[in-house]
Amino acid sequence: MEINDAIKRAKENDQKAFNYLLDTFWDDVYGFQLKRVENENDAEDITIQTFSRAFDRIETFDDSFKFKTWLITISKNIHIDLLRKEKKSISQMVSNDEKSVLQILDESPSIEDKLITEQHLAKLLRDIKKLKPHYQQVINLRYFQELSYKEISKDLNEPINNVKVKLLRAKKLLAEIIQNSK
């Protein structure tokens, strides 16, 4: 499959085209981020977010640019956003720490807390059922069966990077469903 053909098919929501693009450009984006963040886990997380965002917005890709350049730009922007959030959260933590010294909480859940949690779980399960079956499956394997990415990859017979991106997309879609059902 050629890159331009894969992009065209991805715009038509062809899963094989997404997989091809992911396999083709994963090393480029991951390598770029690894040089920036110098941490394998962070580089991998940013790379997963990059592909998720790119695939969510594939229809906006302009063919007059190189696909790799587009991906690297998305990746760079995600990293910059994370740095901004990190900087902001550090300053908030400092001010919150001063307040939290004065507050001591009993962290054992009450009967009411348990009841609320069970109701939330029932609603969550209803929301999960609104996802497409392959997203339901990956959410179930990761969060209810508590399988590792490697175990899910083996179970689904898919590359581990595909599993990570699929799980991220499933979480985003689930978050939208939850947000819209409020």
Side-chain angles (χ1 to χ4, degrees):
M1 185 181 315
E2 187 186 313
I3 302 295
N4 291 336
D5 183 43
I7 293 167
K8 194 167 115 183
R9 287 175 46 191
K11 286 181 179 184
E12 296 165 0
N13 219 12
D14 181 336
Q15 191 61 46
K16 286 182 181 175
F18 286 126
N19 293 346
Y20 174 79
L21 293 170
L22 180 73
D23 292 340
T24 303
F25 293 103
W26 176 270
D27 290 341
D28 295 322
V29 176
Y30 176 76
F32 171 76
Q33 277 305 329
L34 191 57
K35 286 177 188 167
R36 288 177 70 109
V37 299
E38 298 175 349
N39 177 307
E40 291 179 4
N41 290 331
D42 291 345
E44 190 173 87
D45 287 345
I46 294 170
T47 304
I48 291 168
Q49 289 177 41
T50 300
F51 280 99
S52 178
R53 187 172 296 170
F55 291 165
D56 285 346
R57 299 181 181 144
I58 190 86
E59 70 281 345
T60 66
F61 173 69
D62 183 350
D63 293 342
S64 63
F65 297 100
K66 288 190 179 266
F67 192 71
K68 178 180 168 183
T69 306
W70 186 64
L71 284 172
I72 295 294
T73 303
I74 291 171
S75 184
K76 186 169 64 174
N77 290 337
I78 288 172
H79 181 237
I80 290 168
D81 289 346
L82 290 172
L83 289 174
R84 284 184 188 138
K85 281 182 189 172
E86 196 175 287
K87 189 176 180 183
K88 189 175 181 183
S89 71
I90 288 171
S91 64
Q92 285 177 338
M93 259 192 270
V94 171
S95 66
N96 288 344
D97 279 350
E98 294 166 0
K99 294 173 192 168
S100 67
V101 171
L102 302 173
Q103 299 172 338
I104 299 172
L105 299 174
D106 177 13
E107 293 185 11
S108 58
S110 68
I111 294 169
E112 293 84 6
D113 291 335
K114 289 178 183 174
L115 187 62
I116 289 168
T117 302
E118 287 171 9
Q119 287 177 341
H120 286 301
L121 181 61
K123 183 185 179 322
L124 178 63
L125 291 173
R126 284 193 302 272
D127 289 341
I128 289 172
K129 287 187 176 160
K130 295 175 185 174
L131 293 171
K132 290 182 180 176
H134 63 279
Y135 289 137
Q136 288 179 30
Q137 182 181 30
V138 76
I139 292 265
N140 177 35
L141 292 172
R142 181 70 176 158
Y143 296 105
F144 293 99
Q145 296 183 29
E146 298 181 348
L147 298 182
S148 67
Y149 290 126
K150 191 174 185 179
E151 292 168 326
I152 296 170
S153 172
K154 189 176 180 185
D155 194 51
L156 297 179
N157 196 24
E158 286 188 30
I160 197 164
N161 294 335
N162 290 15
V163 168
K164 290 176 181 178
V165 171
K166 190 181 285 186
L167 185 61
L168 187 67
R169 293 179 91 195
K171 288 191 302 187
K172 279 185 176 179
L173 291 170
L174 183 58
E176 287 175 19
I177 290 170
I178 292 169
Q179 194 67 35
N180 292 335
S181 68
K182 285 187 177 178

